Structure formats: C-alpha cells, structure tokens
Amino acid sequence: MITFLFQLMIPVALMFFRFNRRPYFIARVIGFGVLFFGLSALYYSPTAIPFLPVSVGYFTYYLLGYLFAFLYAWLCFDMPIFNTLFFCFVSFLVQNLAHHIFELIMRISGVPAGSEYGKIGYLFALAGVYAVIYAVYFFVYIRRMQPEDFKELPKTSTLTVAGTFLLVMIILGVFVRHIRNDLFTASIIAIGYEIYSVILDLLIIGLQFGVFRTGRLREQNAELESRMRREAQYYDTAKANMELINIKCHDLKHQIAALGSMKDESERKSSIDELGQAIMIYDSIAKTGNDALDCLLTEKGMYSQSKNINFTYMADGKLLSDMKYGDIYSLFGNAIDNAFESVLRTQDVSRRVVGLKVFERGGQKCIHIENWCEKPPVMSNGLPVTSKKDDGHGFGMKSILYIVKKYGGNLTVSYANNMFALDILLPVK
C-alpha cells in the first residue's frame, strides 16, 4: 500500500499545493501522515486480509488508496467537494497512466509479470517513468492553470468521468489482472491490455481538459456578458444625462432674453458667468453622427479635462450604424479607459496624450486609438496584460476582443517610441 499511496499522493500534491489551505494545515498534514503509515502497515498488500476473496481484496485495496488521497485533498485544502473530486480524478488518471506506460515498457522489454520491487534496476526504471509522466503533467497541465480561473465546475461532467474511471479502470483492471490472470500471462494480450489502458487514460484526461476549459470559458463569457449588460445600462443613464444637458442648453435663449431686463450690474455679471460655463459644457458635447459614440465621447471628454488629459478625436460615427449601442459603448469605453489608465501613470502632464480616430479605408471600418505609454506593456497571446489587481482584471481587453470577433473584425496592438496603439478593422456592411 505504501508504494501505491506514494504514487497517488505525488500528483495530488502537485495539483493542490497552489490552492488555499484550510486552518491548521500543518496539523492536518501530520494527522494524514500518521494515517498514511498506519494504513500502509495494516493493508500492506491486497491479500493482507485473509477472509476477503481475492477480487474483493484487490478492489478494496485500490479503493482505499483513492479514498485516502481524496480525503487528504478535501480536508487539507479549501475547495468545494466537487472541485476537489474533479482535480483528484485528474491526478488519479495521471498515476494510472504512468502505471500502464511503465507496465507496457516492461512487457515490450520482456520483463516477466510479477513483483520485481526487490530489484534495484526495476525500481530505477519505475521511478524514471513516473518522474517523466509527472513532470509532463506538471508543466503541460498544472502550470497553465490558475485557481482564480474558475469558481464552479460542471457537476454532472465531473461525476460522469469519476464513475467511468472507477468502473472501467478499477473493476476491469482487477478482473483482467487478478481474476482471469491466465489471460494476462500471454504477452500479446498483456501488451494489448496496457495499450488499451493507456489510450483510455489519455481519452479521459482529454475529457477532463475539455470539462475544465468549458467551465472556464463559460465563466469568462458570463462575466463578459454581465459587464456588457452593465455598460449598456450605464449608457442609458449617460444618454439621459445628455438629454438633460441639451434641455439646459436649449433654455439658454430664455436666460439671455432675461438678461435684458436685469438692472443690477452684479446680478447681470453673475448670470453671464453662469451662461459662459453652460456654453463651455455645450461645446464639449461630441457630434459624430452616432448617439452612443457621442454620449461616450462627451463623458470621456469631460473626464479627461478634469484629469489634465489631452484627449482628441476624429470620428465618423455613421460608420458604426450597424453596431448595437451597448457594443459601441463597451468597445470604445474599455479602449479609452485603458488609454486613460496608461497616461495617468505619468506625472508629466504634457505626455498625457490620447487620440482616437474612426474612419473608412479600403472597404474597412478603421478604429485607431493611441496613447503615451512609458514602458512597453507585458504581452500574452498578442494582447497586453493588465496591471490591475481587482477581481475583474483583464476583462476590459477581453470584452473588446469579444465584440471585435462578434462583428467579424481583427484587432492588433503595437508599441513604438513610447506610444501604444490599438487598431481594429471591421468589415463595412
């Protein structure tokens, strides 16, 4: 049992070491260490309990090992039970894969069936094969995964894979290797069984990969859609504010008419100052030919003035007539916010420069946004990685890319001479 438990616990430890730990973690680990050696001493081999039939003894032996590893992960690390089950079964499959690859190598090499654990060469070969498989498991799977990438995994898929693993890999394995071991003594049948087991392990691991990726993509898409809905609602509010501004400006003519009847010079001067401020607000209202873009640019323009950002734009808003208002608000809002965030990092006000252009060229709608950037951005998969630490990190650029793909467009970024540029091409319909 001690050898089998070691083989199981290594991939489990590799998987779970980066997750949050439960209180009194060290005490829990020590307690499981005591149980580890106690269980290994009590159940040192599948036939250690004489009154159990051989098949039941082997099945109980393996099942206890898997149960022990699962309880260790669940009771020592702070994770929901279904997530723990999911990642435990990934680890179990990796151990099972390593076992069958090793057995396949031994069969092809002509090593006879049976225990060879007393031989140094056999143990070195065993350790070498397991080390290679576990290293691939760590660098290909675990290093690409972050605990915050997901919150909930599909429970039905997890249980289905878990049940498949238990039924096929344990029950079938016990039957072939121990109940009908006369079949297993034939080298061709044994090699065929090991190849079959390796393929089945790889298929189920691939399915687990799919479950994980599907769950993560589902969460990201749900978050993107939620953010876009909030941005659409925000646009409605901003549009209402714009209408109030227009009403206020429309009332200026009545205020101007009232100036003629004022006799008090100080009152007249105060009213003129108020009118001047109102006119400045009206001058900042964008007029691109697209209501959503006008609303957004007006809002961002007022914000840029308060932050000493030189924000300029030349935009033909009519080109965006085929886009939903919520998508326009989300696309340009996230892009401009990212540019503002970048220039605000510099203390030199003269370098707080952000420019936007929307124009048509060669049958394509072109969107170009550039801003001063002191340092080259950190890139990942062709996109800049955010420096923000909040829970919504990275969703701004993901939202932009989501909308660009939605309208069949392309997105590229570039950096040269301390200027960061975002270019979007959308087909003209």
Side-chain angles (χ1 to χ4, degrees), residues 123-138:
L123 292 176
F124 271 110
L126 178 72
V129 171
Y130 273 73
V132 170
I133 300 300
Y134 289 169
V136 172
Y137 164 64
F138 178 79

Side-chain angles (χ1 to χ4, degrees), residues 105-155:
I105 294 173
M106 292 296 101
R107 292 288 180 176
I108 294 175
S109 302
V111 176
S115 177
E116 299 284 336
Y117 286 102
K119 298 181 179 180
I120 298 297
Y122 183 92
L123 292 176
F124 271 110
L126 178 72
V129 171
Y130 273 73
V132 170
I133 300 300
Y134 289 169
V136 172
Y137 164 64
F138 178 79
F139 288 104
V140 173
Y141 186 87
I142 296 177
R143 289 195 63 180
R144 296 183 179 182
M145 180 194 68
Q146 294 294 333
E148 62 270 17
D149 283 345
F150 58 90
K151 298 174 184 176
E152 187 90 12
L153 292 167
K155 296 179 174 59

Side-chain angles (χ1 to χ4, degrees), residues 58-341:
Y58 273 99
F59 182 79
T60 305
Y61 175 85
Y62 292 120
L63 191 60
L64 281 176
Y66 293 128
L67 181 62
F68 177 88
F70 168 75
L71 290 176
Y72 162 77
W74 184 40
L75 295 177
C76 292
F77 296 90
D78 188 10
M79 184 180 295
I81 186 170
F82 282 99
N83 294 45
T84 305
L85 182 65
F86 176 88
F87 290 112
C88 276
F89 272 97
V90 173
S91 304
F92 298 163
L93 284 164
V94 171
Q95 182 277 330
N96 200 67
L97 176 65
H99 167 75
H100 287 294
I101 289 178
F102 175 74
E103 289 292 331
L104 179 61
I105 294 173
M106 292 296 101
R107 292 288 180 176
I108 294 175
S109 302
V111 176
S115 177
E116 299 284 336
Y117 286 102
K119 298 181 179 180
I120 298 297
Y122 183 92
L123 292 176
F124 271 110
L126 178 72
V129 171
Y130 273 73
V132 170
I133 300 300
Y134 289 169
V136 172
Y137 164 64
F138 178 79
F139 288 104
V140 173
Y141 186 87
I142 296 177
R143 289 195 63 180
R144 296 183 179 182
M145 180 194 68
Q146 294 294 333
E148 62 270 17
D149 283 345
F150 58 90
K151 298 174 184 176
E152 187 90 12
L153 292 167
K155 296 179 174 59
T156 303
S157 301
T158 302
L159 293 176
T160 301
V161 174
T164 302
F165 174 76
L166 282 174
L167 292 175
V168 177
M169 305 310 297
I170 300 180
I171 297 177
L172 182 61
V174 170
F175 177 80
V176 173
R177 297 177 67 91
H178 305 294
I179 298 178
R180 290 296 307 274
N181 55 6
D182 56 313
L183 297 174
F184 201 68
T185 55
S187 59
I188 298 298
I189 296 178
I191 290 174
Y193 169 74
E194 301 300 349
I195 293 175
Y196 160 79
S197 299
V198 168
I199 293 174
L200 187 59
D201 277 328
L202 291 174
L203 287 175
I204 301 178
I205 290 174
L207 178 60
Q208 293 281 55
F209 265 110
V211 169
F212 173 72
R213 289 179 60 85
T214 299
R216 182 168 59 181
L217 289 174
R218 184 183 292 111
E219 285 180 20
Q220 291 183 353
N221 288 338
E223 175 65 18
L224 283 174
E225 292 173 359
S226 175
R227 289 173 66 91
M228 290 172 66
R229 284 194 298 270
R230 293 196 299 269
E231 287 163 353
Q233 293 171 355
Y234 186 63
Y235 161 70
D236 292 336
T237 303
K239 183 180 179 182
N241 293 334
M242 282 284 294
E243 291 174 352
L244 290 176
I245 293 175
N246 286 326
I247 293 172
K248 182 68 174 178
C249 293
H250 180 72
D251 291 340
L252 285 176
K253 62 180 182 180
H254 301 292
Q255 297 182 34
I256 292 173
L259 285 175
S261 60
M262 289 184 181
K263 297 180 180 180
D264 190 315
E265 189 62 29
S266 61
E267 184 179 357
R268 182 193 299 268
K269 186 178 183 303
S270 175
S271 297
I272 291 174
D273 290 340
E274 290 180 6
L275 287 175
Q277 293 177 2
I279 291 171
M280 288 179 62
I281 293 175
Y282 187 76
D283 287 340
S284 65
I285 296 176
K287 302 175 184 64
T288 67
N290 185 285
D291 290 344
L293 188 60
D294 290 348
C295 184
L296 176 71
L297 293 180
T298 300
E299 178 191 11
K300 299 304 181 185
M302 293 179 179
Y303 175 82
S304 66
Q305 292 177 15
S306 68
K307 296 295 183 180
N308 294 317
I309 298 174
N310 182 12
F311 176 44
T312 59
Y313 54 85
M314 294 180 60
D316 183 359
K318 295 178 182 178
L319 292 173
L320 309 176
S321 59
D322 63 321
M323 295 181 66
K324 294 180 179 180
Y325 279 3
D327 291 340
I328 293 174
Y329 211 83
S330 181
L331 173 65
F332 286 90
N334 281 301
I336 295 173
D337 285 345
N338 288 342
F340 284 179
E341 180 189 347

